[in-house]
Amino acid sequence: MRQKMQKTVSGRGIRLSTDALVDVGNLDENGNIHAADDPRCAFHKGNLLWHSDVTFDAVRANYSILAAHQVPPDRVDTEFADMRAAYDTLDDAMKKCVEDLSAEHSMWYSRSLGGMPDPGPDVKVTRRLVQVHPRTGRRSLCLASHASHVIGWLTEGGRKLLDELTAHATRLEFVFRHQWRVGDMVMWDNQQTMHRGTPFDDTRYARDMRRVTVLEGCDTGFGLRREGPGH
Ligand SMILES: [Fe+2]
């Protein structure tokens, strides 16, 4: 059986009718906007960092499908970065440098960057920085705010490398920006893209977004991710 997430966000209630839907909005179980001191606010701040969904889990996500039920009056977008183009445009020396490197991913690392307190021991997963697509054979970079450090490197040097690669991968020419409208549904391939939300006044405006996550090796749809808070 797949390893379950070991921690949840304190005070998190269930708002949606099925646990196959991941709640990535800012409403509580009563339909009210989270209070500013609600731990879920800090949790969702992690969504504003560049990441691919569920890289911290032993079974990675293939596809995410996100639907907009309610959006703020001011535009609030999601940006997507093409990690194939990011790899292709590395110079040869950098391609050689990263080819055999791996990074450690954990959900709570990215959440600590969003302002959540350190939860203590956590599930960690090691992933290669260069991934080869199983069907096309094309290489892409595997980064994400869930990646804390490079295995075998001193922390500072590894972080510097991850930051440099992320800055390269998210250059404007590699990024598509979707402006959400109610009723939109967007599907993306987590194994070849990163994404991030853009900030808005989340203590004033409601944003109701719901996601389904299709797990690696489960293209038929039978592998929906059913536990854990997502991202
Ligand atoms: Fe995400």
Side-chain angles (χ1 to χ4, degrees), residues 46-51 77-81 170 175 177 194-198:
N47 297 334
L48 305 181
L49 305 172
W50 284 108
H51 65 283
D77 304 344
T78 299
E79 295 179 309
F80 298 89
T170 57
V175 172
R177 186 173 177 124
M194 279 201 301
H195 60 278
R196 68 175 178 181
T198 54

mmCIF file of all heavy atoms in Angstrom, residues 46-51 77-81 170 175 177 194-198:
data_model
loop_
_atom_site.group_PDB
_atom_site.id
_atom_site.type_symbol
_atom_site.label_atom_id
_atom_site.label_comp_id
_atom_site.label_asym_id
_atom_site.label_seq_id
_atom_site.Cartn_x
_atom_site.Cartn_y
_atom_site.Cartn_z
ATOM 1 N N GLY A 46 2.325 28.381 0.359
ATOM 2 C CA GLY A 46 3.280 27.526 -0.348
ATOM 3 C C GLY A 46 2.908 27.327 -1.805
ATOM 4 O O GLY A 46 3.772 27.033 -2.640
ATOM 5 N N ASN A 47 1.634 27.515 -2.141
ATOM 6 C CA ASN A 47 1.195 27.351 -3.525
ATOM 7 C C ASN A 47 1.668 28.483 -4.423
ATOM 8 O O ASN A 47 1.561 28.386 -5.646
ATOM 9 C CB ASN A 47 -0.336 27.271 -3.589
ATOM 10 C CG ASN A 47 -0.858 26.067 -2.839
ATOM 11 O OD1 ASN A 47 -0.165 25.075 -2.689
ATOM 12 N ND2 ASN A 47 -2.090 26.177 -2.343
ATOM 13 N N LEU A 48 2.154 29.544 -3.818
ATOM 14 C CA LEU A 48 2.646 30.673 -4.602
ATOM 15 C C LEU A 48 4.092 30.467 -5.026
ATOM 16 O O LEU A 48 4.654 31.306 -5.737
ATOM 17 C CB LEU A 48 2.527 31.976 -3.795
ATOM 18 C CG LEU A 48 1.129 32.299 -3.248
ATOM 19 C CD1 LEU A 48 1.156 33.621 -2.492
ATOM 20 C CD2 LEU A 48 0.103 32.346 -4.378
ATOM 21 N N LEU A 49 4.695 29.382 -4.569
ATOM 22 C CA LEU A 49 6.078 29.065 -4.939
ATOM 23 C C LEU A 49 6.063 28.087 -6.112
ATOM 24 O O LEU A 49 5.165 27.250 -6.222
ATOM 25 C CB LEU A 49 6.799 28.434 -3.744
ATOM 26 C CG LEU A 49 6.781 29.256 -2.455
ATOM 27 C CD1 LEU A 49 7.368 28.437 -1.295
ATOM 28 C CD2 LEU A 49 7.547 30.561 -2.632
ATOM 29 N N TRP A 50 7.059 28.160 -6.957
ATOM 30 C CA TRP A 50 7.136 27.261 -8.108
ATOM 31 C C TRP A 50 7.249 25.813 -7.639
ATOM 32 O O TRP A 50 8.110 25.492 -6.821
ATOM 33 C CB TRP A 50 8.343 27.597 -8.979
ATOM 34 C CG TRP A 50 8.165 28.811 -9.825
ATOM 35 C CD1 TRP A 50 8.759 30.030 -9.649
ATOM 36 C CD2 TRP A 50 7.349 28.930 -11.004
ATOM 37 N NE1 TRP A 50 8.356 30.894 -10.640
ATOM 38 C CE2 TRP A 50 7.497 30.251 -11.485
ATOM 39 C CE3 TRP A 50 6.516 28.046 -11.700
ATOM 40 C CZ2 TRP A 50 6.833 30.712 -12.623
ATOM 41 C CZ3 TRP A 50 5.855 28.507 -12.828
ATOM 42 C CH2 TRP A 50 6.020 29.824 -13.283
ATOM 43 N N HIS A 51 6.397 24.960 -8.162
ATOM 44 C CA HIS A 51 6.435 23.555 -7.761
ATOM 45 C C HIS A 51 5.726 22.693 -8.806
ATOM 46 O O HIS A 51 4.988 23.197 -9.655
ATOM 47 C CB HIS A 51 5.748 23.351 -6.400
ATOM 48 C CG HIS A 51 4.275 23.644 -6.443
ATOM 49 N ND1 HIS A 51 3.763 24.915 -6.451
ATOM 50 C CD2 HIS A 51 3.199 22.819 -6.493
ATOM 51 C CE1 HIS A 51 2.455 24.884 -6.492
ATOM 52 N NE2 HIS A 51 2.061 23.609 -6.526
ATOM 53 N N ASP A 77 -4.023 34.496 -11.327
ATOM 54 C CA ASP A 77 -3.586 33.596 -12.382
ATOM 55 C C ASP A 77 -2.818 32.404 -11.816
ATOM 56 O O ASP A 77 -2.407 32.400 -10.650
ATOM 57 C CB ASP A 77 -2.663 34.338 -13.352
ATOM 58 C CG ASP A 77 -3.311 35.585 -13.931
ATOM 59 O OD1 ASP A 77 -4.542 35.714 -13.828
ATOM 60 O OD2 ASP A 77 -2.576 36.419 -14.487
ATOM 61 N N THR A 78 -2.636 31.425 -12.661
ATOM 62 C CA THR A 78 -1.659 30.372 -12.394
ATOM 63 C C THR A 78 -0.647 30.389 -13.534
ATOM 64 O O THR A 78 -1.029 30.484 -14.702
ATOM 65 C CB THR A 78 -2.323 28.993 -12.314
ATOM 66 O OG1 THR A 78 -3.272 28.983 -11.231
ATOM 67 C CG2 THR A 78 -1.287 27.898 -12.050
ATOM 68 N N GLU A 79 0.627 30.334 -13.181
ATOM 69 C CA GLU A 79 1.693 30.334 -14.172
ATOM 70 C C GLU A 79 2.254 28.920 -14.298
ATOM 71 O O GLU A 79 2.378 28.202 -13.299
ATOM 72 C CB GLU A 79 2.800 31.297 -13.763
ATOM 73 C CG GLU A 79 2.349 32.739 -13.737
ATOM 74 C CD GLU A 79 3.472 33.677 -13.308
ATOM 75 O OE1 GLU A 79 4.103 33.408 -12.267
ATOM 76 O OE2 GLU A 79 3.701 34.659 -14.015
ATOM 77 N N PHE A 80 2.598 28.551 -15.530
ATOM 78 C CA PHE A 80 3.150 27.230 -15.816
ATOM 79 C C PHE A 80 4.488 27.398 -16.546
ATOM 80 O O PHE A 80 4.585 28.188 -17.488
ATOM 81 C CB PHE A 80 2.199 26.435 -16.714
ATOM 82 C CG PHE A 80 0.855 26.181 -16.075
ATOM 83 C CD1 PHE A 80 -0.182 27.097 -16.227
ATOM 84 C CD2 PHE A 80 0.639 25.033 -15.321
ATOM 85 C CE1 PHE A 80 -1.417 26.873 -15.633
ATOM 86 C CE2 PHE A 80 -0.596 24.808 -14.725
ATOM 87 C CZ PHE A 80 -1.624 25.728 -14.883
ATOM 88 N N ALA A 81 5.483 26.646 -16.104
ATOM 89 C CA ALA A 81 6.810 26.702 -16.729
ATOM 90 C C ALA A 81 7.118 25.366 -17.401
ATOM 91 O O ALA A 81 6.870 24.302 -16.827
ATOM 92 C CB ALA A 81 7.875 27.016 -15.677
ATOM 93 N N THR A 170 12.195 29.367 -15.110
ATOM 94 C CA THR A 170 10.983 30.189 -15.033
ATOM 95 C C THR A 170 11.168 31.537 -15.732
ATOM 96 O O THR A 170 10.431 32.487 -15.453
ATOM 97 C CB THR A 170 10.565 30.389 -13.564
ATOM 98 O OG1 THR A 170 11.654 30.976 -12.827
ATOM 99 C CG2 THR A 170 10.196 29.066 -12.921
ATOM 100 N N VAL A 175 7.298 30.420 -19.820
ATOM 101 C CA VAL A 175 6.136 30.468 -18.914
ATOM 102 C C VAL A 175 4.851 30.823 -19.664
ATOM 103 O O VAL A 175 4.823 31.763 -20.478
ATOM 104 C CB VAL A 175 6.388 31.489 -17.779
ATOM 105 C CG1 VAL A 175 5.127 31.712 -16.949
ATOM 106 C CG2 VAL A 175 7.526 30.999 -16.886
ATOM 107 N N ARG A 177 0.828 31.832 -18.761
ATOM 108 C CA ARG A 177 0.068 32.369 -17.620
ATOM 109 C C ARG A 177 -1.425 32.274 -17.927
ATOM 110 O O ARG A 177 -1.885 32.828 -18.926
ATOM 111 C CB ARG A 177 0.491 33.821 -17.395
ATOM 112 C CG ARG A 177 -0.109 34.455 -16.161
ATOM 113 C CD ARG A 177 0.504 35.842 -15.943
ATOM 114 N NE ARG A 177 -0.116 36.499 -14.812
ATOM 115 C CZ ARG A 177 0.530 36.962 -13.751
ATOM 116 N NH1 ARG A 177 1.840 36.849 -13.670
ATOM 117 N NH2 ARG A 177 -0.111 37.543 -12.772
ATOM 118 N N MET A 194 6.329 23.017 -14.106
ATOM 119 C CA MET A 194 6.108 23.511 -12.742
ATOM 120 C C MET A 194 5.010 24.566 -12.847
ATOM 121 O O MET A 194 4.714 25.071 -13.931
ATOM 122 C CB MET A 194 7.359 24.188 -12.170
ATOM 123 C CG MET A 194 8.390 23.256 -11.614
ATOM 124 S SD MET A 194 9.521 24.091 -10.444
ATOM 125 C CE MET A 194 10.244 25.387 -11.450
ATOM 126 N N HIS A 195 4.429 24.926 -11.717
ATOM 127 C CA HIS A 195 3.420 25.970 -11.722
ATOM 128 C C HIS A 195 3.452 26.709 -10.384
ATOM 129 O O HIS A 195 4.054 26.233 -9.412
ATOM 130 C CB HIS A 195 2.023 25.394 -11.981
ATOM 131 C CG HIS A 195 1.582 24.390 -10.969
ATOM 132 N ND1 HIS A 195 1.976 23.065 -11.016
ATOM 133 C CD2 HIS A 195 0.814 24.508 -9.854
ATOM 134 C CE1 HIS A 195 1.451 22.424 -9.991
ATOM 135 N NE2 HIS A 195 0.744 23.275 -9.262
ATOM 136 N N ARG A 196 2.777 27.832 -10.366
ATOM 137 C CA ARG A 196 2.588 28.563 -9.108
ATOM 138 C C ARG A 196 1.348 29.444 -9.247
ATOM 139 O O ARG A 196 1.005 29.902 -10.343
ATOM 140 C CB ARG A 196 3.805 29.434 -8.764
ATOM 141 C CG ARG A 196 4.018 30.607 -9.692
ATOM 142 C CD ARG A 196 5.154 31.496 -9.214
ATOM 143 N NE ARG A 196 5.375 32.611 -10.142
ATOM 144 C CZ ARG A 196 6.316 33.529 -9.999
ATOM 145 N NH1 ARG A 196 7.150 33.481 -8.952
ATOM 146 N NH2 ARG A 196 6.460 34.509 -10.884
ATOM 147 N N GLY A 197 0.683 29.681 -8.121
ATOM 148 C CA GLY A 197 -0.411 30.633 -8.102
ATOM 149 C C GLY A 197 0.148 32.039 -7.971
ATOM 150 O O GLY A 197 1.319 32.236 -7.615
ATOM 151 N N THR A 198 -0.676 33.020 -8.268
ATOM 152 C CA THR A 198 -0.269 34.412 -8.066
ATOM 153 C C THR A 198 -1.063 34.988 -6.893
ATOM 154 O O THR A 198 -2.213 34.596 -6.656
ATOM 155 C CB THR A 198 -0.497 35.257 -9.334
ATOM 156 O OG1 THR A 198 -1.855 35.115 -9.752
ATOM 157 C CG2 THR A 198 0.420 34.782 -10.454
#
